[in-house]
Amino acid sequence: IYCIRGDYDNAQQLLERARTLCSDVNDQHILGGVLLNLGVVAGTTGQYEVARQLFQESLQISRKLRNRWNTMKALINLGNVAYFLQEYDHSRYLTKTALEIAESLQHYYGLAVCLNNLGCIAYEQGQYEEARQLHERSCQIFSDIGYRLGMIYTYNDLGRVARAQGHPQTALSWLQKALREANELQATPLLLDTLLEVARLLHDQEQDERARRLLQQIVHHPATATAT
């Protein structure tokens, strides 16, 4: 809940307490998951090398315990770190490895996440049509399983791709869907990410004053200050 709302300090404090408890009782099963969540907090706040180390520790534990679910999650998150560090080929390799596990487990959430992440990589490499198809497949799976947070991510990403392909109205439609869902779920970080995409769209349409006002709201939002 703290992560969804952008309260990373409280999230980290609780997770560090959980990490200590797991170490005290030598519970490797739970520790692997706690390390994953700590890595997510570190990655979200831009501490990518810290996140990578935490995910690698989780991956080692998960493989030792033959926990394929946590192995998949660790690989996904390592792929995310590589993505944010612009190591796109390595990110694709890690994500495709995770996708294979998700397919073998028939784990639809994992499938959707991997597909969406592959779409993000395709976007960064200018493969917009491939990105669109991957995001749409991911969005459909998230919709089928009722995972609304995942749908916000894909709406946002589909808006970004539509903007890159020169379809501003389609982009705005996707971003409006993302804003509605993020508002309802009080998913502040996702809301701010989406508003940033809207600002970029306004800039493309030479509505610079509206874009500037929107950027000021984002920069001065308490969650932005916490993340930086």
Side-chain angles (χ1 to χ4, degrees), residues 116 120 132 134-136 138-144 146-163 170-185 190 193-194 197-198:
N116 200 59
C120 290
R132 183 188 66 79
L134 287 163
H135 289 319
E136 286 187 349
S138 173
C139 188
Q140 185 59 58
I141 296 172
F142 278 135
S143 178
D144 289 344
Y147 187 63
R148 294 172 69 190
L149 279 176
M151 292 168 66
I152 298 171
Y153 279 108
T154 55
Y155 290 157
N156 198 349
D157 290 330
L158 282 163
R160 184 172 65 155
V161 170
R163 170 176 164 262
T170 301
L172 182 60
S173 177
W174 285 119
L175 295 175
Q176 286 173 334
K177 289 182 179 181
L179 288 172
R180 284 195 296 270
E181 291 287 331
N183 266 318
E184 287 185 18
L185 296 181
L190 288 177
D193 285 346
T194 306
E197 286 301 323
V198 173

Side-chain angles (χ1 to χ4, degrees), residues 40-102:
V40 170
V41 172
T44 304
T45 54
Q47 303 173 70
Y48 297 123
E49 291 302 334
V50 173
R52 175 138 53 190
Q53 181 60 38
L54 289 163
F55 293 141
Q56 286 174 338
E57 289 180 32
S58 178
L59 180 62
Q60 290 173 357
I61 291 172
S62 300
R63 282 177 166 165
K64 181 178 179 181
L65 297 175
R66 298 183 180 179
N67 184 330
R68 300 180 72 201
W69 161 234
N70 274 356
T71 297
M72 178 192 72
K73 289 198 293 183
L75 287 166
I76 288 172
N77 282 293
L78 283 166
N80 288 341
V81 170
Y83 170 82
F84 286 118
L85 293 175
Q86 300 182 1
E87 302 168 0
Y88 297 126
D89 290 340
H90 187 47
S91 180
R92 180 182 288 105
Y93 167 76
L94 291 165
T95 306
K96 284 189 172 182
T97 304
L99 179 64
E100 291 174 1
I101 297 175

Side-chain angles (χ1 to χ4, degrees), residues 7-22:
D7 189 352
Y8 302 115
D9 287 340
N10 275 322
Q12 183 169 2
Q13 289 175 17
L14 288 173
L15 289 166
E16 288 291 359
R17 287 173 60 190
R19 183 183 190 176
T20 300
L21 288 170
C22 289

